Amino acid sequence: MKRKSTSVQSTVQAYLFLAPALILLAVFSFWPVGYGTYLSFTKYNLISAPEWVGLDNYRELFDDELFLNSLKNSLLYLLCVPIIQVLSIALAVLVNNNLKGIKLFRAAYYVPVVTSVSVIGLMWNFMYNDEGILNSVLQALHMINEPIGFLSDDRIALFSVMFVTIWRGLGWYMVMYLAGLQAIPQDVYEAATLDGANGWQKFWKITVPLLMPTILLCSVLSTLAALKAFEEVQIMTQGGPSESTYTALFYAYQFGIKSLDFGRGLAASTIVALVCMALAWVNFRYLQPRQK
């Protein structure tokens, strides 16, 4: 009886400690998500009261070619995920070596992470310009005759923005993989060396399996970040040229915030949230380390 009373007391204490965080989570996360989902079934323009319209907003979205193209671009943005993961792991393995000047190298790759996205967007706008440094270098090397419209050609503008996203995120994921690599016990590598394993075998048989929890975390985070791509589009292209760089979240912003059609904007956001949850489940399903 005394043991049961102590257990209940411990549980109550635990919930009391968690209460401030749970209240903040409920007020600033769960309530906005719930109320936003409700508004996605209404017509609401911030002035008049919300009017229930059922699934009309969702029907309009799937009849809107611009939204379908935006959703396709968001899914295309997922190409960033495997690229950024492979490059981050390669960089982490490289900077995990005790080489001369390696700390400076690590810091240099982390600079884009702590730099304002506005500054990054302006810098890459300048570099992508017809008379910017990229076109100047390519022309000087006689690789092109005419400037490439990195942000003005609707066939490649989205990929140009995606490249900036990859460049900006490399340092962040590199640091996470570096922490994962340094948590692997060195005696495992020493034992493999005594067994005659070469560097490639140690990477695939030791590094990758023991790095799987970090790979799962980074894959989930980068998948969600890719689907929620917004800042680079807003600063670099404003959805242009010819609406070719619209992403689903940028579409939601355009209709929800700029056009004050909150119902439609929130319906688009809800669809993005559902796709995010589905892809997060896929990551957990296929990348979660198996216990043997």
Side-chain angles (χ1 to χ4, degrees):
M1 188 69 180
K2 186 177 179 182
R3 181 179 294 176
K4 186 177 180 181
S5 174
T6 305
S7 175
V8 170
Q9 190 177 7
S10 299
T11 304
V12 171
Q13 285 178 343
Y15 277 109
L16 285 176
F17 278 115
L18 288 171
L22 290 175
I23 292 171
L24 290 174
L25 199 64
V27 172
F28 294 105
S29 295
F30 296 147
W31 166 247
V33 169
Y35 191 59
T37 304
Y38 159 70
L39 288 179
S40 71
F41 294 97
T42 67
K43 281 289 179 191
Y44 180 50
N45 59 9
L46 202 63
I47 300 173
S48 54
E51 178 189 351
W52 182 264
V53 295
L55 293 173
D56 284 0
N57 288 324
Y58 292 90
R59 289 194 194 97
E60 288 174 8
L61 283 178
F62 286 104
D63 287 338
D64 186 353
E65 191 175 336
L66 178 58
F67 174 73
L68 296 177
N69 188 57
S70 303
L71 195 58
K72 186 196 75 176
N73 285 343
S74 288
L75 295 175
L76 201 57
Y77 228 93
L78 291 172
L79 289 173
C80 293
V81 176
I83 296 173
I84 203 167
Q85 297 310 313
V86 171
L87 291 178
S88 299
I89 292 173
L91 275 176
V93 170
L94 179 64
V95 301
N96 196 33
N97 294 303
N98 192 20
L99 302 175
K100 189 177 180 180
I102 201 67
K103 290 183 179 177
L104 182 64
F105 191 71
R106 292 176 185 172
Y109 264 97
Y110 202 72
V111 168
V113 179
V114 295
T115 304
S116 161
V117 67
S118 301
V119 174
I120 288 175
L122 291 173
M123 182 187 78
W124 277 97
N125 268 348
F126 170 73
M127 293 177 69
Y128 279 149
N129 193 283
D130 284 357
E131 297 175 356
I133 188 169
L134 284 178
N135 275 314
S136 299
V137 169
L138 292 174
Q139 285 180 313
L141 294 173
H142 302 290
M143 296 178 69
I144 57 173
N145 294 321
E146 299 291 331
I148 298 174
F150 288 104
L151 296 178
S152 57
D153 187 336
D154 58 8
R155 295 169 299 176
I156 62 172
L158 181 68
F159 297 101
S160 301
V161 178
M162 288 165 62
F163 179 82
V164 175
T165 300
I166 293 171
W167 175 82
R168 182 181 165 218
L170 266 183
W172 169 254
Y173 293 108
M174 178 196 74
V175 168
M176 297 181 75
Y177 280 122
L178 183 61
L181 287 173
Q182 293 184 345
I184 299 175
Q186 287 303 306
D187 54 359
V188 180
Y189 290 107
E190 291 168 3
T193 303
L194 291 175
D195 287 341
N198 58 34
W200 194 247
Q201 289 170 324
K202 283 189 276 189
F203 177 77
W204 283 109
K205 301 293 185 183
I206 298 174
T207 304
V208 172
L210 294 182
L211 206 56
M212 280 309 290
T214 311
I215 293 174
L216 170 62
L217 173 65
C218 292
S219 295
V220 171
L221 291 178
S222 56
T223 298
L224 301 185
L227 285 171
K228 296 189 296 180
F230 170 77
E231 294 167 316
E232 291 90 342
V233 175
Q234 166 74 0
I235 292 168
M236 297 179 67
T237 64
Q238 294 279 309
S242 305
E243 300 171 339
S244 63
T245 58
Y246 260 67
T247 60
L249 212 58
F250 185 77
Y251 178 98
Y253 167 79
Q254 288 293 105
F255 278 89
I257 304 298
K258 299 194 79 173
S259 303
L260 293 182
D261 189 349
F262 284 95
R264 191 164 179 172
L266 286 166
S269 299
T270 303
I271 291 172
V272 173
L274 291 174
V275 176
C276 283
M277 286 191 283
L279 291 179
W281 179 84
V282 170
N283 275 284
F284 276 98
R285 175 72 177 78
Y286 292 101
L287 294 179
Q288 193 165 32
R290 301 285 190 272
Q291 297 292 334
K292 293 183 179 178

